Amino acid sequence: MRISSSQYFNLNVSSMSDQQSTLATMYQQISSGNRLSTASDDPLGAAQAVTLTMQSATLSQYSTNQTSALSSLQQEDSTLGNVSNVLSSIQTQVVHAGDASLTDADRQSIATVIQGHRDQLMSMANTTDSNGNYIFTGLKGNTAPFSNNASGVGASYDGDLGSRTVQISNNRSVAIGDTGASVFQSVSASESAAVPSASTGNTGKGTIGAVSMNDTSNPNNASTYTINFAVSATDDSTTYTVSANPADPSLPTTLTAYTADTKITLGGQSVKISGAPANGDSFTVQPATSTNNDVFATLDNLISALKQPVGTSTSAQSQLTNALATAGTKLGNSYNNVLAAQTAVGGRTQEIQSQQTILSTNKTQNASDLANLTSIDLVSSISSYELTQNSLQAAQMAFSQIQKMSLFSYLGS
């Protein structure tokens, strides 16, 4: 096959032009460190790079969400820890108030201390985060969750029951806050004791103690029990009857003779009543979840009871003892509820920290995959660049020498 001089020159010029273009591309890659300047450099790789870039942005957002959620949960955990400390201090004061040697003035002082703790709890219940949002108000971040009732007893919850959640991974969202109603106005069904109380109309010297749990599986523990006393006008003998709502078929249907400090069985529970109840006095044992569990109301009633003068009246002392028994049980239930909430917050915190570890690994792998697609190996690229450059220079020299090959050059020599 014959190749004309023009074809030969055109082929060589085209080849060197291609090599120069390759060198220019390689130089651009070396100077930028990026293998994919345009999608045409590697269409498949470019598509994969777009996917990885989008995934990187998603992972970065999850990282931001995790950091924000962790900060919110840590603040709530700290606040709940402070709440539990205050409740523990109040319980200590309740035990102290039960000392029969205290005077009315002493109990007034205790009431003042508890009032200070009550104010602390209200402030903690209305805690805000760094953005000024209330942490216990549900989805109503700009609304203070609690305000004191006009009656002077208890607090009104002005938030809602919604739960703020944050997505921390592709298929997992976590709650970053608990409602004030669930923390300050609720109790844990499994970690709470039945609440003993005396009727406000009692006139005798009977006092009710804490409720003992004997059989947690007894279905009648869900009933509210009322113990009614009667004192015979003829011989001063005291008897009682027990009713339950819902009904408890195991209860005796006849009058039972009263003996102080003897356990009275109520379903799977028992309670002791001491002293001498008067005719018509009654006492109640209720499941913790069925009573008013507003911790602020509990404290207001406790403070009011402590401010009542007792003096030397044994009846007034009995009323105070009953009020302390009721308040002590309710505060213990509230304390356990706060601890349960704090435990749940700790569990969510650990979950986020675990997701942070997983996310860090995913981000590293994603960055590595993206770098493999888009970045160059500098040493290899420079070596290839020099090899191509040498090849081009050799081609140029060879073409220059061939250009001099002419019959006239030989004849001239």
Side-chain angles (χ1 to χ4, degrees):
M1 176 180 172
R2 297 176 60 187
I3 300 177
S4 65
S5 296
S6 61
Q7 287 178 309
Y8 175 75
F9 286 120
N10 289 337
L11 287 172
N12 279 276
V13 170
S14 177
S15 175
M16 288 185 289
S17 178
D18 290 342
Q19 288 179 308
Q20 286 178 327
S21 176
T22 300
L23 280 172
T25 300
M26 296 174 70
Y27 180 79
Q28 183 181 13
Q29 291 176 347
I30 292 172
S31 60
S32 66
N34 189 355
R35 189 174 67 85
L36 296 176
S37 299
T38 62
S40 61
D41 294 337
D42 182 355
L44 178 59
Q48 292 174 333
V50 169
T51 300
L52 290 171
T53 300
M54 293 175 62
Q55 184 176 350
S56 177
T58 300
L59 293 176
S60 295
Q61 185 59 58
Y62 285 148
S63 179
T64 300
N65 290 359
Q66 290 172 1
T67 300
S68 174
L70 191 60
S71 176
S72 296
L73 288 175
Q74 287 173 338
Q75 182 179 16
E76 182 182 1
D77 179 67
S78 175
T79 302
L80 291 176
N82 293 333
V83 169
S84 63
N85 290 337
V86 170
L87 288 175
S88 179
S89 297
I90 295 174
Q91 288 175 299
T92 300
Q93 294 296 326
V94 171
V95 174
H96 183 207
D99 186 346
S101 66
L102 296 179
T103 65
D104 288 344
D106 293 332
R107 284 185 287 272
Q108 284 277 356
S109 297
I110 293 175
T112 300
V113 172
I114 294 177
Q115 181 65 56
H117 288 320
R118 198 258 193 209
D119 293 341
Q120 282 184 281
L121 285 179
M122 177 62 73
S123 177
M124 293 173 186
N126 288 328
T127 297
T128 58
D129 60 21
S130 58
N131 296 319
N133 294 317
Y134 294 93
I135 68 175
F136 292 118
T137 194
L139 299 177
K140 299 169 67 174
N142 295 324
T143 301
F146 288 100
S147 58
N148 290 319
N149 287 332
S151 65
V153 179
S156 173
Y157 179 64
D158 302 315
D160 63 23
L161 301 181
S163 179
R164 292 179 295 152
T165 61
V166 171
Q167 188 171 359
I168 59 172
S169 67
N170 285 334
N171 53 6
R172 185 69 179 104
S173 295
V174 297
I176 60 170
D178 294 279
T179 66
S182 68
V183 175
F184 298 95
Q185 294 182 327
S186 301
V187 295
S188 169
S190 60
E191 299 292 333
S192 299
V195 178
S197 61
S199 171
T200 56
N202 285 3
T203 59
K205 303 173 185 177
T207 59
I208 190 168
V211 180
S212 299
M213 176 60 69
N214 306 317
D215 180 8
T216 57
S217 64
N218 192 314
N220 294 312
N221 294 338
S223 295
T224 295
Y225 291 90
T226 302
I227 307 170
N228 294 293
F229 285 86
V231 179
S232 172
T234 56
D235 58 7
D236 288 333
S237 62
T238 302
T239 56
Y240 68 88
T241 58
V242 182
S243 59
N245 184 22
D248 178 356
S250 67
L251 292 175
T253 57
T254 58
L255 295 175
T256 303
Y258 168 68
T259 302
D261 297 322
T262 298
K263 288 184 178 180
I264 299 176
T265 300
L266 309 170
Q269 309 161 108
S270 61
V271 68
K272 288 182 180 180
I273 294 179
S274 305
N279 185 54
D281 284 359
S282 65
F283 298 85
T284 302
V285 171
Q286 291 178 285
T289 54
S290 67
T291 63
N292 180 357
N293 294 300
D294 178 3
V295 68
F296 301 108
T298 298
L299 293 175
D300 290 333
N301 290 328
L302 172 61
I303 292 168
S304 176
L306 290 170
K307 288 181 177 180
Q308 297 299 316
V310 173
T312 58
S313 170
T314 54
S315 177
Q317 180 63 53
S318 296
Q319 291 176 358
L320 174 62
T321 300
N322 288 326
L324 292 176
T326 301
T329 299
K330 284 191 171 186
L331 288 170
N333 291 342
S334 294
Y335 178 78
N336 290 336
N337 184 62
V338 171
L339 290 183
Q342 192 173 13
T343 299
V345 169
R348 297 198 294 270
T349 298
Q350 289 183 343
E351 181 180 1
I352 292 175
Q353 291 171 335
S354 176
Q355 287 293 328
Q356 283 182 318
T357 301
I358 295 172
L359 181 64
S360 177
T361 301
N362 290 342
K363 288 177 69 176
T364 300
Q365 184 61 53
N366 186 82
S368 176
D369 292 342
L370 185 59
N372 290 336
L373 279 172
T374 61
S375 300
I376 63 170
D377 182 342
L378 191 58
V379 174
S380 176
S381 295
I382 291 176
S383 177
S384 297
Y385 177 82
E386 291 180 347
L387 180 61
T388 304
Q389 188 177 46
N390 290 337
S391 177
L392 175 59
Q393 290 174 348
Q396 289 172 336
M397 292 176 61
F399 183 67
S400 175
Q401 293 298 322
I402 292 174
Q403 278 185 314
K404 298 177 181 179
M405 295 177 63
S406 171
L407 179 59
F408 297 104
S409 297
Y410 288 107
L411 292 175
S413 61

